[in-house]
PDB file of all heavy atoms in Angstrom:
ATOM      1  N   VAL B1385      29.027   1.116   0.547  1.00  0.00           N
ATOM      2  CA  VAL B1385      30.324   0.607   0.107  1.00  0.00           C
ATOM      3  C   VAL B1385      31.145   0.172   1.314  1.00  0.00           C
ATOM      4  O   VAL B1385      31.792  -0.862   1.298  1.00  0.00           O
ATOM      5  CB  VAL B1385      31.105   1.650  -0.765  1.00  0.00           C
ATOM      6  CG1 VAL B1385      32.467   1.155  -1.166  1.00  0.00           C
ATOM      7  CG2 VAL B1385      30.209   2.058  -1.964  1.00  0.00           C
ATOM      8  N   LYS B1386      31.146   1.051   2.342  1.00  0.00           N
ATOM      9  CA  LYS B1386      32.022   0.764   3.481  1.00  0.00           C
ATOM     10  C   LYS B1386      31.324   1.102   4.787  1.00  0.00           C
ATOM     11  O   LYS B1386      30.619   2.104   4.875  1.00  0.00           O
ATOM     12  CB  LYS B1386      33.293   1.648   3.344  1.00  0.00           C
ATOM     13  CG  LYS B1386      34.531   0.992   3.991  1.00  0.00           C
ATOM     14  CD  LYS B1386      35.713   1.982   3.947  1.00  0.00           C
ATOM     15  CE  LYS B1386      36.396   2.082   2.586  1.00  0.00           C
ATOM     16  NZ  LYS B1386      37.407   3.106   2.568  1.00  0.00           N
ATOM     17  N   VAL B1387      31.513   0.223   5.779  1.00  0.00           N
ATOM     18  CA  VAL B1387      30.889   0.437   7.088  1.00  0.00           C
ATOM     19  C   VAL B1387      32.018   0.311   8.129  1.00  0.00           C
ATOM     20  O   VAL B1387      32.818  -0.600   8.070  1.00  0.00           O
ATOM     21  CB  VAL B1387      29.775  -0.585   7.356  1.00  0.00           C
ATOM     22  CG1 VAL B1387      29.213  -0.391   8.803  1.00  0.00           C
ATOM     23  CG2 VAL B1387      28.645  -0.473   6.351  1.00  0.00           C
ATOM     24  N   ASP B1388      32.014   1.266   9.048  1.00  0.00           N
ATOM     25  CA  ASP B1388      32.938   1.194  10.140  1.00  0.00           C
ATOM     26  C   ASP B1388      32.269   0.573  11.348  1.00  0.00           C
ATOM     27  O   ASP B1388      31.480   1.220  12.004  1.00  0.00           O
ATOM     28  CB  ASP B1388      33.426   2.671  10.444  1.00  0.00           C
ATOM     29  CG  ASP B1388      34.506   2.686  11.526  1.00  0.00           C
ATOM     30  OD1 ASP B1388      34.767   1.625  12.140  1.00  0.00           O
ATOM     31  OD2 ASP B1388      35.056   3.765  11.776  1.00  0.00           O
ATOM     32  N   TYR B1389      32.621  -0.658  11.586  1.00  0.00           N
ATOM     33  CA  TYR B1389      31.952  -1.400  12.689  1.00  0.00           C
ATOM     34  C   TYR B1389      32.495  -1.015  14.045  1.00  0.00           C
ATOM     35  O   TYR B1389      31.847  -1.281  15.055  1.00  0.00           O
ATOM     36  CB  TYR B1389      32.056  -2.916  12.494  1.00  0.00           C
ATOM     37  CG  TYR B1389      31.202  -3.420  11.372  1.00  0.00           C
ATOM     38  CD1 TYR B1389      31.692  -3.695  10.105  1.00  0.00           C
ATOM     39  CD2 TYR B1389      29.831  -3.615  11.603  1.00  0.00           C
ATOM     40  CE1 TYR B1389      30.860  -4.127   9.104  1.00  0.00           C
ATOM     41  CE2 TYR B1389      29.008  -4.038  10.585  1.00  0.00           C
ATOM     42  CZ  TYR B1389      29.539  -4.323   9.349  1.00  0.00           C
ATOM     43  OH  TYR B1389      28.706  -4.735   8.341  1.00  0.00           O
ATOM     44  N   THR B1390      33.631  -0.361  14.060  1.00  0.00           N
ATOM     45  CA  THR B1390      34.171   0.078  15.345  1.00  0.00           C
ATOM     46  C   THR B1390      33.386   1.283  15.885  1.00  0.00           C
ATOM     47  O   THR B1390      33.450   1.610  17.010  1.00  0.00           O
ATOM     48  CB  THR B1390      35.650   0.489  15.221  1.00  0.00           C
ATOM     49  OG1 THR B1390      35.729   1.645  14.367  1.00  0.00           O
ATOM     50  CG2 THR B1390      36.508  -0.603  14.643  1.00  0.00           C
ATOM     51  N   ARG B1391      32.591   1.889  15.006  1.00  0.00           N
ATOM     52  CA  ARG B1391      31.788   3.048  15.439  1.00  0.00           C
ATOM     53  C   ARG B1391      30.296   2.684  15.453  1.00  0.00           C
ATOM     54  O   ARG B1391      29.432   3.498  15.115  1.00  0.00           O
ATOM     55  CB  ARG B1391      32.071   4.233  14.508  1.00  0.00           C
ATOM     56  CG  ARG B1391      33.479   4.789  14.609  1.00  0.00           C
ATOM     57  CD  ARG B1391      33.785   5.807  13.563  1.00  0.00           C
ATOM     58  NE  ARG B1391      32.864   6.937  13.607  1.00  0.00           N
ATOM     59  CZ  ARG B1391      32.419   7.657  12.573  1.00  0.00           C
ATOM     60  NH1 ARG B1391      32.827   7.333  11.340  1.00  0.00           N
ATOM     61  NH2 ARG B1391      31.578   8.648  12.714  1.00  0.00           N
ATOM     62  N   GLY B1392      29.957   1.438  15.681  1.00  0.00           N
ATOM     63  CA  GLY B1392      28.559   1.043  15.764  1.00  0.00           C
ATOM     64  C   GLY B1392      27.889   1.023  14.401  1.00  0.00           C
ATOM     65  O   GLY B1392      26.854   1.584  14.226  1.00  0.00           O
ATOM     66  N   ALA B1393      28.529   0.350  13.390  1.00  0.00           N
ATOM     67  CA  ALA B1393      28.017   0.247  12.080  1.00  0.00           C
ATOM     68  C   ALA B1393      27.715   1.610  11.413  1.00  0.00           C
ATOM     69  O   ALA B1393      26.622   1.829  10.915  1.00  0.00           O
ATOM     70  CB  ALA B1393      26.742  -0.645  12.038  1.00  0.00           C
ATOM     71  N   ARG B1394      28.688   2.478  11.538  1.00  0.00           N
ATOM     72  CA  ARG B1394      28.560   3.795  10.861  1.00  0.00           C
ATOM     73  C   ARG B1394      28.972   3.640   9.398  1.00  0.00           C
ATOM     74  O   ARG B1394      30.068   3.041   9.161  1.00  0.00           O
ATOM     75  CB  ARG B1394      29.490   4.800  11.554  1.00  0.00           C
ATOM     76  CG  ARG B1394      29.083   6.241  11.297  1.00  0.00           C
ATOM     77  CD  ARG B1394      27.935   6.677  12.167  1.00  0.00           C
ATOM     78  NE  ARG B1394      27.604   8.087  11.906  1.00  0.00           N
ATOM     79  CZ  ARG B1394      26.770   8.764  12.679  1.00  0.00           C
ATOM     80  NH1 ARG B1394      26.184   8.180  13.729  1.00  0.00           N
ATOM     81  NH2 ARG B1394      26.487  10.038  12.415  1.00  0.00           N
ATOM     82  N   ILE B1395      28.178   4.172   8.501  1.00  0.00           N
ATOM     83  CA  ILE B1395      28.469   4.025   7.066  1.00  0.00           C
ATOM     84  C   ILE B1395      29.432   5.200   6.731  1.00  0.00           C
ATOM     85  O   ILE B1395      29.148   6.388   6.939  1.00  0.00           O
ATOM     86  CB  ILE B1395      27.177   4.132   6.236  1.00  0.00           C
ATOM     87  CG1 ILE B1395      26.260   2.976   6.580  1.00  0.00           C
ATOM     88  CG2 ILE B1395      27.488   4.174   4.727  1.00  0.00           C
ATOM     89  CD1 ILE B1395      24.791   3.203   6.227  1.00  0.00           C
ATOM     90  N   THR B1396      30.576   4.824   6.135  1.00  0.00           N
ATOM     91  CA  THR B1396      31.592   5.846   5.807  1.00  0.00           C
ATOM     92  C   THR B1396      31.722   6.062   4.324  1.00  0.00           C
ATOM     93  O   THR B1396      32.363   6.994   3.885  1.00  0.00           O
ATOM     94  CB  THR B1396      32.953   5.460   6.396  1.00  0.00           C
ATOM     95  OG1 THR B1396      33.299   4.154   5.911  1.00  0.00           O
ATOM     96  CG2 THR B1396      32.919   5.441   7.906  1.00  0.00           C
ATOM     97  N   ASP B1397      31.146   5.174   3.523  1.00  0.00           N
ATOM     98  CA  ASP B1397      31.185   5.388   2.058  1.00  0.00           C
ATOM     99  C   ASP B1397      29.945   4.721   1.458  1.00  0.00           C
ATOM    100  O   ASP B1397      29.709   3.539   1.664  1.00  0.00           O
ATOM    101  CB  ASP B1397      32.463   4.788   1.454  1.00  0.00           C
ATOM    102  CG  ASP B1397      32.654   5.207  -0.009  1.00  0.00           C
ATOM    103  OD1 ASP B1397      31.931   6.120  -0.444  1.00  0.00           O
ATOM    104  OD2 ASP B1397      33.480   4.585  -0.705  1.00  0.00           O
ATOM    105  N   ALA B1398      29.194   5.577   0.706  1.00  0.00           N
ATOM    106  CA  ALA B1398      27.981   5.044   0.112  1.00  0.00           C
ATOM    107  C   ALA B1398      27.529   6.044  -0.996  1.00  0.00           C
ATOM    108  O   ALA B1398      28.049   7.161  -1.064  1.00  0.00           O
ATOM    109  CB  ALA B1398      26.872   4.906   1.137  1.00  0.00           C
ATOM    110  N   TYR B1399      26.610   5.623  -1.828  1.00  0.00           N
ATOM    111  CA  TYR B1399      26.076   6.535  -2.828  1.00  0.00           C
ATOM    112  C   TYR B1399      24.627   6.264  -3.120  1.00  0.00           C
ATOM    113  O   TYR B1399      24.144   5.115  -2.927  1.00  0.00           O
ATOM    114  CB  TYR B1399      26.910   6.523  -4.120  1.00  0.00           C
ATOM    115  CG  TYR B1399      27.045   5.095  -4.722  1.00  0.00           C
ATOM    116  CD1 TYR B1399      26.147   4.647  -5.696  1.00  0.00           C
ATOM    117  CD2 TYR B1399      28.076   4.253  -4.308  1.00  0.00           C
ATOM    118  CE1 TYR B1399      26.271   3.375  -6.218  1.00  0.00           C
ATOM    119  CE2 TYR B1399      28.216   2.991  -4.857  1.00  0.00           C
ATOM    120  CZ  TYR B1399      27.276   2.559  -5.820  1.00  0.00           C
ATOM    121  OH  TYR B1399      27.411   1.296  -6.355  1.00  0.00           O
ATOM    122  N   PHE B1400      23.901   7.294  -3.527  1.00  0.00           N
ATOM    123  CA  PHE B1400      22.484   7.180  -3.859  1.00  0.00           C
ATOM    124  C   PHE B1400      22.346   6.332  -5.130  1.00  0.00           C
ATOM    125  O   PHE B1400      23.120   6.483  -6.079  1.00  0.00           O
ATOM    126  CB  PHE B1400      21.868   8.546  -4.092  1.00  0.00           C
ATOM    127  CG  PHE B1400      21.902   9.452  -2.878  1.00  0.00           C
ATOM    128  CD1 PHE B1400      22.821  10.504  -2.779  1.00  0.00           C
ATOM    129  CD2 PHE B1400      21.059   9.225  -1.786  1.00  0.00           C
ATOM    130  CE1 PHE B1400      22.832  11.293  -1.638  1.00  0.00           C
ATOM    131  CE2 PHE B1400      21.094   9.985  -0.681  1.00  0.00           C
ATOM    132  CZ  PHE B1400      21.976  11.065  -0.599  1.00  0.00           C
ATOM    133  N   SER B1401      21.343   5.457  -5.144  1.00  0.00           N
ATOM    134  CA  SER B1401      21.105   4.745  -6.378  1.00  0.00           C
ATOM    135  C   SER B1401      19.685   5.006  -6.847  1.00  0.00           C
ATOM    136  O   SER B1401      18.879   5.568  -6.099  1.00  0.00           O
ATOM    137  CB  SER B1401      21.351   3.259  -6.201  1.00  0.00           C
ATOM    138  OG  SER B1401      20.509   2.688  -5.257  1.00  0.00           O
ATOM    139  N   MET B1402      19.385   4.628  -8.070  1.00  0.00           N
ATOM    140  CA  MET B1402      18.057   4.918  -8.641  1.00  0.00           C
ATOM    141  C   MET B1402      17.019   4.000  -8.083  1.00  0.00           C
ATOM    142  O   MET B1402      17.236   2.820  -7.830  1.00  0.00           O
ATOM    143  CB  MET B1402      18.097   4.697 -10.147  1.00  0.00           C
ATOM    144  CG  MET B1402      18.997   5.640 -10.909  1.00  0.00           C
ATOM    145  SD  MET B1402      18.415   7.351 -10.861  1.00  0.00           S
ATOM    146  CE  MET B1402      17.133   7.285 -12.145  1.00  0.00           C
ATOM    147  N   GLN B1403      15.835   4.543  -7.821  1.00  0.00           N
ATOM    148  CA  GLN B1403      14.680   3.740  -7.457  1.00  0.00           C
ATOM    149  C   GLN B1403      14.208   2.976  -8.676  1.00  0.00           C
ATOM    150  O   GLN B1403      13.988   3.600  -9.738  1.00  0.00           O
ATOM    151  CB  GLN B1403      13.595   4.690  -6.962  1.00  0.00           C
ATOM    152  CG  GLN B1403      12.430   4.092  -6.218  1.00  0.00           C
ATOM    153  CD  GLN B1403      12.704   3.702  -4.765  1.00  0.00           C
ATOM    154  OE1 GLN B1403      13.155   2.571  -4.474  1.00  0.00           O
ATOM    155  NE2 GLN B1403      12.478   4.621  -3.818  1.00  0.00           N
ATOM    156  N   SER B1404      14.188   1.662  -8.600  1.00  0.00           N
ATOM    157  CA  SER B1404      13.731   0.923  -9.805  1.00  0.00           C
ATOM    158  C   SER B1404      12.216   0.726  -9.807  1.00  0.00           C
ATOM    159  O   SER B1404      11.625   0.240 -10.793  1.00  0.00           O
ATOM    160  CB  SER B1404      14.421  -0.452  -9.838  1.00  0.00           C
ATOM    161  OG  SER B1404      14.043  -1.174  -8.736  1.00  0.00           O
ATOM    162  N   THR B1405      11.586   1.108  -8.709  1.00  0.00           N
ATOM    163  CA  THR B1405      10.144   1.106  -8.657  1.00  0.00           C
ATOM    164  C   THR B1405       9.682   2.571  -8.654  1.00  0.00           C
ATOM    165  O   THR B1405      10.424   3.456  -8.988  1.00  0.00           O
ATOM    166  CB  THR B1405       9.663   0.360  -7.416  1.00  0.00           C
ATOM    167  OG1 THR B1405      10.185   1.085  -6.303  1.00  0.00           O
ATOM    168  CG2 THR B1405      10.174  -1.045  -7.356  1.00  0.00           C
ATOM    169  N   THR B1406       8.486   2.808  -8.149  1.00  0.00           N
ATOM    170  CA  THR B1406       8.040   4.167  -7.938  1.00  0.00           C
ATOM    171  C   THR B1406       8.368   4.554  -6.486  1.00  0.00           C
ATOM    172  O   THR B1406       8.813   3.718  -5.689  1.00  0.00           O
ATOM    173  CB  THR B1406       6.520   4.260  -8.141  1.00  0.00           C
ATOM    174  OG1 THR B1406       5.929   3.245  -7.397  1.00  0.00           O
ATOM    175  CG2 THR B1406       6.167   4.132  -9.597  1.00  0.00           C
ATOM    176  N   ASP B1407       8.063   5.788  -6.130  1.00  0.00           N
ATOM    177  CA  ASP B1407       8.392   6.263  -4.764  1.00  0.00           C
ATOM    178  C   ASP B1407       7.331   5.867  -3.739  1.00  0.00           C
ATOM    179  O   ASP B1407       7.632   5.725  -2.564  1.00  0.00           O
ATOM    180  CB  ASP B1407       8.599   7.760  -4.760  1.00  0.00           C
ATOM    181  CG  ASP B1407      10.017   8.138  -5.070  1.00  0.00           C
ATOM    182  OD1 ASP B1407      10.878   7.248  -5.045  1.00  0.00           O
ATOM    183  OD2 ASP B1407      10.270   9.318  -5.352  1.00  0.00           O
ATOM    184  N   TYR B1408       6.077   5.768  -4.202  1.00  0.00           N
ATOM    185  CA  TYR B1408       5.004   5.608  -3.215  1.00  0.00           C
ATOM    186  C   TYR B1408       4.173   4.415  -3.580  1.00  0.00           C
ATOM    187  O   TYR B1408       3.849   4.166  -4.738  1.00  0.00           O
ATOM    188  CB  TYR B1408       4.078   6.847  -3.199  1.00  0.00           C
ATOM    189  CG  TYR B1408       4.786   8.103  -2.773  1.00  0.00           C
ATOM    190  CD1 TYR B1408       5.350   8.951  -3.701  1.00  0.00           C
ATOM    191  CD2 TYR B1408       4.846   8.412  -1.434  1.00  0.00           C
ATOM    192  CE1 TYR B1408       6.028  10.135  -3.247  1.00  0.00           C
ATOM    193  CE2 TYR B1408       5.444   9.576  -0.990  1.00  0.00           C
ATOM    194  CZ  TYR B1408       6.060  10.431  -1.920  1.00  0.00           C
ATOM    195  OH  TYR B1408       6.698  11.550  -1.478  1.00  0.00           O
ATOM    196  N   ASN B1409       3.725   3.676  -2.500  1.00  0.00           N
ATOM    197  CA  ASN B1409       2.679   2.675  -2.713  1.00  0.00           C
ATOM    198  C   ASN B1409       1.933   2.452  -1.414  1.00  0.00           C
ATOM    199  O   ASN B1409       2.368   2.927  -0.331  1.00  0.00           O
ATOM    200  CB  ASN B1409       3.234   1.370  -3.325  1.00  0.00           C
ATOM    201  CG  ASN B1409       4.040   0.566  -2.363  1.00  0.00           C
ATOM    202  OD1 ASN B1409       4.335   0.962  -1.259  1.00  0.00           O
ATOM    203  ND2 ASN B1409       4.454  -0.598  -2.794  1.00  0.00           N
ATOM    204  N   GLY B1410       0.780   1.788  -1.555  1.00  0.00           N
ATOM    205  CA  GLY B1410      -0.009   1.571  -0.350  1.00  0.00           C
ATOM    206  C   GLY B1410      -1.357   0.963  -0.667  1.00  0.00           C
ATOM    207  O   GLY B1410      -1.512   0.362  -1.755  1.00  0.00           O
ATOM    208  N   VAL B1411      -2.316   1.161   0.278  1.00  0.00           N
ATOM    209  CA  VAL B1411      -3.586   0.479   0.161  1.00  0.00           C
ATOM    210  C   VAL B1411      -4.749   1.382   0.522  1.00  0.00           C
ATOM    211  O   VAL B1411      -4.628   2.216   1.459  1.00  0.00           O
ATOM    212  CB  VAL B1411      -3.550  -0.803   1.064  1.00  0.00           C
ATOM    213  CG1 VAL B1411      -3.121  -0.468   2.516  1.00  0.00           C
ATOM    214  CG2 VAL B1411      -4.870  -1.545   1.060  1.00  0.00           C
ATOM    215  N   TYR B1412      -5.779   1.280  -0.239  1.00  0.00           N
ATOM    216  CA  TYR B1412      -7.070   1.936   0.056  1.00  0.00           C
ATOM    217  C   TYR B1412      -8.191   0.955  -0.190  1.00  0.00           C
ATOM    218  O   TYR B1412      -8.293   0.447  -1.315  1.00  0.00           O
ATOM    219  CB  TYR B1412      -7.248   3.200  -0.828  1.00  0.00           C
ATOM    220  CG  TYR B1412      -8.609   3.826  -0.686  1.00  0.00           C
ATOM    221  CD1 TYR B1412      -8.920   4.623   0.389  1.00  0.00           C
ATOM    222  CD2 TYR B1412      -9.612   3.559  -1.611  1.00  0.00           C
ATOM    223  CE1 TYR B1412     -10.180   5.200   0.567  1.00  0.00           C
ATOM    224  CE2 TYR B1412     -10.915   4.108  -1.443  1.00  0.00           C
ATOM    225  CZ  TYR B1412     -11.187   4.923  -0.396  1.00  0.00           C
ATOM    226  OH  TYR B1412     -12.437   5.441  -0.243  1.00  0.00           O
ATOM    227  N   HIS B1413      -8.975   0.663   0.824  1.00  0.00           N
ATOM    228  CA  HIS B1413     -10.065  -0.326   0.688  1.00  0.00           C
ATOM    229  C   HIS B1413      -9.610  -1.605   0.042  1.00  0.00           C
ATOM    230  O   HIS B1413     -10.266  -2.142  -0.848  1.00  0.00           O
ATOM    231  CB  HIS B1413     -11.218   0.282  -0.140  1.00  0.00           C
ATOM    232  CG  HIS B1413     -12.084   1.228   0.625  1.00  0.00           C
ATOM    233  ND1 HIS B1413     -13.402   1.489   0.368  1.00  0.00           N
ATOM    234  CD2 HIS B1413     -11.808   2.060   1.690  1.00  0.00           C
ATOM    235  CE1 HIS B1413     -13.869   2.390   1.209  1.00  0.00           C
ATOM    236  NE2 HIS B1413     -12.924   2.738   2.038  1.00  0.00           N
ATOM    237  N   GLY B1414      -8.436  -2.079   0.475  1.00  0.00           N
ATOM    238  CA  GLY B1414      -7.930  -3.336   0.021  1.00  0.00           C
ATOM    239  C   GLY B1414      -7.229  -3.288  -1.328  1.00  0.00           C
ATOM    240  O   GLY B1414      -6.543  -4.200  -1.724  1.00  0.00           O
ATOM    241  N   ARG B1415      -7.413  -2.147  -2.067  1.00  0.00           N
ATOM    242  CA  ARG B1415      -6.836  -2.048  -3.402  1.00  0.00           C
ATOM    243  C   ARG B1415      -5.385  -1.492  -3.323  1.00  0.00           C
ATOM    244  O   ARG B1415      -5.077  -0.621  -2.502  1.00  0.00           O
ATOM    245  CB  ARG B1415      -7.664  -1.052  -4.242  1.00  0.00           C
ATOM    246  CG  ARG B1415      -9.070  -1.512  -4.509  1.00  0.00           C
ATOM    247  CD  ARG B1415      -9.111  -2.687  -5.456  1.00  0.00           C
ATOM    248  NE  ARG B1415      -8.534  -2.391  -6.755  1.00  0.00           N
ATOM    249  CZ  ARG B1415      -9.209  -1.810  -7.739  1.00  0.00           C
ATOM    250  NH1 ARG B1415     -10.445  -1.502  -7.614  1.00  0.00           N
ATOM    251  NH2 ARG B1415      -8.583  -1.582  -8.919  1.00  0.00           N
ATOM    252  N   TYR B1416      -4.566  -2.012  -4.173  1.00  0.00           N
ATOM    253  CA  TYR B1416      -3.175  -1.599  -4.260  1.00  0.00           C
ATOM    254  C   TYR B1416      -3.029  -0.329  -5.067  1.00  0.00           C
ATOM    255  O   TYR B1416      -3.530  -0.233  -6.206  1.00  0.00           O
ATOM    256  CB  TYR B1416      -2.338  -2.724  -4.905  1.00  0.00           C
ATOM    257  CG  TYR B1416      -0.890  -2.346  -5.037  1.00  0.00           C
ATOM    258  CD1 TYR B1416      -0.003  -2.429  -3.960  1.00  0.00           C
ATOM    259  CD2 TYR B1416      -0.371  -1.893  -6.256  1.00  0.00           C
ATOM    260  CE1 TYR B1416       1.324  -2.120  -4.101  1.00  0.00           C
ATOM    261  CE2 TYR B1416       0.974  -1.546  -6.380  1.00  0.00           C
ATOM    262  CZ  TYR B1416       1.803  -1.689  -5.297  1.00  0.00           C
ATOM    263  OH  TYR B1416       3.127  -1.317  -5.418  1.00  0.00           O
ATOM    264  N   ILE B1417      -2.345   0.639  -4.467  1.00  0.00           N
ATOM    265  CA  ILE B1417      -2.134   1.942  -5.084  1.00  0.00           C
ATOM    266  C   ILE B1417      -0.647   2.197  -5.215  1.00  0.00           C
ATOM    267  O   ILE B1417       0.120   1.937  -4.258  1.00  0.00           O
ATOM    268  CB  ILE B1417      -2.829   3.052  -4.263  1.00  0.00           C
ATOM    269  CG1 ILE B1417      -4.377   2.914  -4.429  1.00  0.00           C
ATOM    270  CG2 ILE B1417      -2.316   4.414  -4.589  1.00  0.00           C
ATOM    271  CD1 ILE B1417      -5.129   3.896  -3.613  1.00  0.00           C
TER     272      ILE B1417
END
Side-chain angles (χ1 to χ4, degrees):
Chain B
V1385 178
K1386 210 186 283 174
V1387 178
D1388 185 352
Y1389 286 101
T1390 64
R1391 294 172 58 213
R1394 200 79 179 192
I1395 298 159
T1396 55
D1397 190 13
Y1399 54 92
F1400 298 105
S1401 62
M1402 295 293 280
Q1403 193 79 269
S1404 62
T1405 61
T1406 50
D1407 272 346
Y1408 296 93
N1409 73 354
V1411 53
Y1412 172 80
H1413 282 208
R1415 295 291 299 275
Y1416 179 79
I1417 287 176

